[in-house]
Amino acid sequence: MERVVIFDVLGTLFSLDAVRAKLSDIGAPPATLEAWFERTLHGALTLTTVREFRPFREVARAALQTTLAQFGLEVSRTEDILAGLSEVEAHDDAAPALDRLTEERIRVVALTNSGAQQTEDVLKQANLLERFERVFSVSDVGAYKPDRRPYEHVINELSVAASEATLIAAHAWDVVGARAAGLDSIWVDRLERRWPLPVAEPRRAASLVDAVGMLIG
Amino acid sequence: MERVVIFDVLGTLFSLDAVRAKLSDIGAPPATLEAWFERTLHGALTLTTVREFRPFREVARAALQTTLAQFGLEVSRTEDILAGLSEVEAHDDAAPALDRLTEERIRVVALTNSGAQQTEDVLKQANLLERFERVFSVSDVGAYKPDRRPYEHVINELSVAASEATLIAAHAWDVVGARAAGLDSIWVDRLERRWPLPVAEPRRAASLVDAVGMLIG
C-alpha cells in the first residue's frame, strides 16, 4: 500500500514562540497568544460554516485587533505582531522527521490553514521546502480545516485513497477533521498536552520523530 | 410586522467575570479565560463540522483541562472552575433591556450554545427566567451556533419569518451565523470591542439597553 504523510504547519512543524515573544514585548499576558490563535481558528471556521472565505492572514489580523483591544494593549502593534507569523522557527525534530520519511520513500506534503505563499516562505526559510512534494492551502478549496473539503482535495490531487494518507498534527481539531474524512491520523501532544475534545482520542505521539516512527516502525 | 428578539446568554446577558476570578485564584494569567473560552467555541464548532455533538459542558471541560495543562496550572481544579459557569452574574442592564421589550409586547427568547437546564438555572438565579417565552439550546438540534440549524429551529418553533427575528449577541460569530440564516441582528460591542471578523460589520450597540433601543426607537 502506498502511504502519504500530510503535515499541518503552524504549531505542528513550527513553534509559535516567536509570536509569543512579540506579544510579551508589548506587555501581553502569556495566554494572549492562545486567546488570539483560538479566536482566529474559530473565526476561520465560522466563515466556513456560513460558506464564506477570507485569507487566513485577514482572519488573524481582525482577531488580533480584538484580542489586543480586549486586554488594553496597543492595537497599533498589530502588523508587527502579525509579521511574527512569517518569522516562526521549525521545531528541532522537523528536519529529522522529514528525512526519515524521505529515506523510506514516503510521499510528504503540507496542508495548512494559512496561505500557500506564506507557508512556502517559512518552509524555505527553515530549509524544509524541498522536502515537500507539494504545499496545499485551504485557500485552494475556500474552506478551512476541519471541514472535510481540504483533506479530500489533497488525497484527490495526490490520487491516493483516504486510508493511504496519514495526517500528523499538533491540533486535535485537525486530527478530528482528517479522521472524519476517512484519513489516518496521529496527534502530536506537545502543544495541547491533554486531548482537548470529548470524542475518542486518536493515536498520540510525543514528537514529530515519534509520530514518523509509528508509521515506519 | 411581528418582532421576536433572540438573546445569546453567556457573554451577552451574563458576564464571565466570576469565572475569570476563579481562574485568577489559581494563578492563571488574565487571558486564560479567553484562551479557554475560544478553544471551547472552536471545539464545539469542530464537532458540528464533523457532524458530531457533545454537550457544551463536556466540550468546555475538555478544553479547560488542556488550557490549564498548557499553562502549568492545576488540572485538578477543573470542576471548581467549570462550576463558575453556573455562578455567572447578569449584566446590570439585562433586566432593564428585557423590561423594555416586555412593555412593547415584543416576544423574547434565549438561544444558547450551553445546555438548556444550566441556562434556565442561571436565568432563574438572576430573576430573569420569567422574562423569556422560551429558552432554546443548540442541543435541541445537535449543532452549535453559528451553524444555521439552531437559528432556523428557533424561528420555526416560534412560527415567525427569519426577517422578523433579531438576534442580540456580544459575539461576532453569533451575529454572522444569524445573518447567514437570514435573521436581523445587532452586535453588542462591549465584550469584543473591535469587530473581530474580516466580513462586513453589522449594526452595533454599546449595551443591551442601546440594542433594544435600536429596535423600538
Side-chain angles (χ1 to χ4, degrees):
Chain A
M1 192 175 84
E2 189 169 22
R3 180 133 303 280
V4 172
V5 174
I6 305 169
F7 282 97
D8 169 59
V9 181
L10 289 179
T12 299
L13 293 170
F14 287 80
S15 157
L16 291 170
D17 284 349
V19 186
R20 194 187 301 278
K22 275 179 181 280
L23 283 164
S24 178
D25 285 349
I26 62 164
T32 308
L33 173 67
E34 281 73 15
W36 166 38
F37 212 70
E38 296 298 323
R39 177 180 281 282
T40 299
L41 294 168
H42 186 241
L45 191 53
T46 288
L47 295 181
T48 293
T49 299
V50 301
R51 302 185 178 281
E52 298 207 44
F53 188 79
R54 294 292 182 287
F56 186 78
R57 198 54 75 105
E58 286 181 32
V59 181
R61 178 181 289 113
L64 180 56
Q65 288 173 334
T66 289
T67 303
L68 294 176
Q70 284 183 309
F71 295 106
L73 300 165
E74 296 166 51
V75 177
S76 62
R77 298 294 294 276
T78 298
E79 295 308 316
D80 177 39
I81 293 161
L82 210 53
L85 290 176
S86 303
E87 297 159 19
V88 289
E89 291 192 359
H91 281 293
D92 285 344
D93 63 349
L98 292 163
D99 285 345
R100 193 79 185 81
L101 291 167
T102 306
E103 281 166 26
E104 298 288 330
R105 296 185 192 170
I106 292 174
R107 298 170 74 183
V108 175
V109 301
L111 172 61
T112 180
N113 262 350
S114 186
Q117 189 59 57
Q118 281 123 13
T119 301
E120 290 186 11
D121 288 348
V122 294
L123 286 171
K124 196 169 183 179
Q125 208 170 279
N127 292 315
L128 294 177
L129 183 58
E130 72 277 11
R131 267 110 160 174
F132 291 86
E133 178 180 330
R134 271 179 75 176
V135 174
F136 293 94
S137 161
V138 294
S139 64
D140 300 337
V141 294
Y144 282 97
K145 297 187 283 183
D147 187 281
R148 61 190 302 130
R149 284 169 281 176
Y151 308 105
E152 288 174 346
H153 177 68
V154 171
I155 61 170
N156 288 340
E157 286 288 309
L158 298 177
S159 300
V160 295
S163 60
E164 292 173 319
T166 301
L167 176 86
I168 297 179
H171 307 285
W173 51 266
D174 203 354
V175 168
V176 165
R179 186 164 69 185
L183 280 68
D184 176 47
S185 55
I186 299 173
W187 175 56
V188 176
D189 67 7
R190 64 187 172 192
L191 181 67
E192 297 176 313
R193 294 165 192 252
R194 291 179 71 107
W195 178 246
L197 287 169
V199 292
E201 191 178 309
R203 278 194 293 176
R204 71 194 278 173
S207 70
L208 297 172
V209 166
D210 285 358
V212 165
M214 283 180 177
L215 288 177
I216 57 190
Chain B
M1 193 176 83
E2 187 169 23
R3 181 133 303 279
V4 173
V5 173
I6 305 168
F7 282 97
D8 170 58
V9 181
L10 288 180
T12 298
L13 293 170
F14 289 80
S15 157
L16 291 171
D17 284 349
V19 186
R20 194 188 301 278
K22 275 180 180 280
L23 283 164
S24 178
D25 284 347
I26 62 163
T32 308
L33 174 67
E34 282 72 15
W36 168 38
F37 212 71
E38 297 297 324
R39 176 180 281 282
T40 299
L41 294 168
H42 185 241
L45 191 53
T46 288
L47 295 182
T48 293
T49 299
V50 300
R51 302 188 178 280
E52 296 208 44
F53 188 80
R54 295 291 183 285
F56 186 78
R57 197 56 72 105
E58 287 181 32
V59 181
R61 177 181 290 114
L64 180 56
Q65 289 174 333
T66 289
T67 303
L68 294 176
Q70 285 184 310
F71 296 107
L73 299 165
E74 296 166 52
V75 177
S76 63
R77 298 296 294 274
T78 297
E79 295 309 316
D80 177 41
I81 293 161
L82 210 55
L85 290 176
S86 302
E87 297 160 20
V88 290
E89 292 191 357
H91 281 293
D92 286 344
D93 63 348
L98 292 163
D99 285 346
R100 193 81 186 80
L101 291 166
T102 306
E103 280 166 27
E104 299 288 330
R105 297 187 192 169
I106 292 173
R107 299 171 74 183
V108 175
V109 300
L111 173 60
T112 180
N113 262 351
S114 186
Q117 188 58 57
Q118 281 123 13
T119 301
E120 289 186 10
D121 288 347
V122 295
L123 286 170
K124 195 168 185 181
Q125 207 170 281
N127 292 316
L128 295 176
L129 184 59
E130 70 277 12
R131 266 108 161 176
F132 290 86
E133 179 180 329
R134 271 179 78 175
V135 174
F136 293 94
S137 161
V138 295
S139 64
D140 301 337
V141 295
Y144 282 96
K145 297 188 284 181
D147 188 281
R148 60 191 300 133
R149 283 170 281 176
Y151 308 105
E152 288 174 346
H153 177 67
V154 171
I155 61 170
N156 289 339
E157 286 289 308
L158 298 177
S159 300
V160 295
S163 60
E164 293 173 319
T166 301
L167 177 87
I168 296 179
H171 306 285
W173 50 267
D174 204 354
V175 167
V176 165
R179 185 163 70 184
L183 280 68
D184 176 47
S185 55
I186 299 173
W187 175 56
V188 177
D189 68 7
R190 64 187 171 191
L191 181 67
E192 296 176 316
R193 296 166 192 253
R194 292 178 71 108
W195 178 246
L197 287 169
V199 292
E201 192 178 307
R203 280 194 293 176
R204 71 194 278 174
S207 70
L208 298 172
V209 166
D210 285 359
V212 165
M214 283 180 177
L215 288 177
I216 58 191

